[in-house]
Amino acid sequence: MRARPIGGPNWCQYPGIWSSPFAWPDKVRLDSQGLHHPAYDSERRYCPHCHPKYADWVGQLTDPAVVLRSMRCPEGNRFWPASVTRPWQGPLPETWTRPGRVPRWYVWWRLWGVQNGTCAACPGPPQVIDHRHADGLVRGLLCYECNLGEALCASMLDLYQHSGQCWYKRYWDSPPGTQFGWYWPDPKRHGGIQWFLPHPPAWAADRTPPIVKCHRQCTTWLLRRDVQLR
């Protein structure tokens, strides 16, 4: 089992201050009731949330990402990795050699192997494919909390001009997925993407960077107002 803390008042601070830790399974196993649970060394499965609470193990150890959501123990389902099919048997090729677009399942499992089955910014479960919004470059797999926290940190650093070390700076400086050169095809960043581009998209060349302005809750704006009032 891997544990990591979630939540917190300031996304840019070291996440060691966060509370409410959860655990997610490295490997899962099928029980006699047809549901997968975290695998542990015991002759029978015990789960306080299932009925019956005890059941026999009937399956082999499995990566949790290949298990369909309907076959998972419903308790804490959001803390599992995303469910992604893996049609390729055996080790994946180093590069996608077929011409044209790159399928989502290959992007996911290739990044899964590079990141050892964890979020690129914390020990949590990978749940989304993150990309750079400016040009669509795929950066890596993140959990739900880091996908939200990373975006909030980036906005705070731009709008509020915060100083100091951000927890996601190492991820921004060396994202594991940029080495492959995959790009998000949709400029509106809609979900449900089933393929990625092996080259920069046409919309990225015409994309103008957003104008960053301070608002009335920004620390810099308040400091400027205080100086003007003196």
Side-chain angles (χ1 to χ4, degrees):
M1 305 287 285
R2 298 176 183 173
R4 64 146 283 194
I6 62 173
N10 192 338
W11 290 97
C12 281
Q13 298 298 323
Y14 176 68
I17 65 174
W18 298 350
S19 58
S20 303
F22 72 84
W24 73 281
D26 292 314
K27 295 289 183 180
V28 295
R29 194 174 179 185
L30 183 66
D31 64 12
S32 57
Q33 301 300 313
L35 293 177
H36 286 79
H37 289 76
Y40 46 86
D41 295 332
S42 65
E43 295 182 358
R44 305 193 69 194
R45 183 272 295 157
Y46 170 77
C47 179
H49 309 287
C50 292
H51 181 76
K53 295 183 177 180
Y54 289 92
D56 296 326
W57 296 115
V58 297
Q60 302 296 324
L61 296 179
T62 307
D63 285 328
V66 301
V67 179
L68 299 177
R69 291 187 178 273
S70 59
M71 299 185 65
R72 298 176 176 181
C73 173
E75 181 64 23
N77 200 351
R78 69 180 295 269
F79 298 139
W80 285 47
S83 177
V84 180
T85 58
R86 194 180 190 278
W88 191 282
Q89 300 297 326
L92 291 176
E94 293 293 326
T95 58
W96 185 256
T97 57
R98 298 178 184 177
R101 301 172 296 186
V102 183
R104 179 178 181 271
W105 67 263
Y106 177 82
V107 171
W108 176 275
W109 286 108
R110 194 72 179 87
L111 292 172
W112 175 282
V114 172
Q115 299 176 200
N116 296 320
T118 62
C119 170
C122 78
Q127 295 165 322
V128 297
I129 299 177
D130 176 57
H131 67 284
R132 193 165 59 198
H133 295 175
D135 56 3
L137 181 64
V138 172
R139 295 189 292 191
L141 303 179
L142 295 178
C143 65
Y144 291 136
E145 282 74 19
C146 285
N147 188 48
L148 172 62
E150 178 271 332
L152 290 176
C153 278
S155 298
M156 291 169 65
L157 290 171
D158 288 339
L159 294 175
Y160 306 148
Q161 300 180 10
H162 287 311
S163 60
Q165 186 76 9
C166 177
W167 168 251
Y168 298 101
K169 186 177 186 304
R170 184 176 61 176
Y171 172 68
W172 292 333
D173 292 342
S174 57
T178 56
Q179 58 178 310
F180 300 107
W182 298 321
Y183 290 85
W184 195 272
D186 187 0
K188 296 182 180 180
R189 305 194 300 272
H190 290 164
I193 298 297
Q194 297 301 318
W195 49 267
F196 292 84
L197 298 175
H199 52 76
W203 56 264
D206 301 331
R207 193 178 183 88
T208 57
I211 300 176
V212 177
K213 296 182 179 180
C214 295
H215 57 76
R216 292 175 181 255
Q217 294 181 349
C218 174
T219 304
T220 304
W221 188 91
L222 293 174
L223 291 175
R224 291 174 181 172
R225 187 198 62 174
D226 292 341
V227 171
Q228 292 175 357
L229 293 178
R230 290 177 183 176

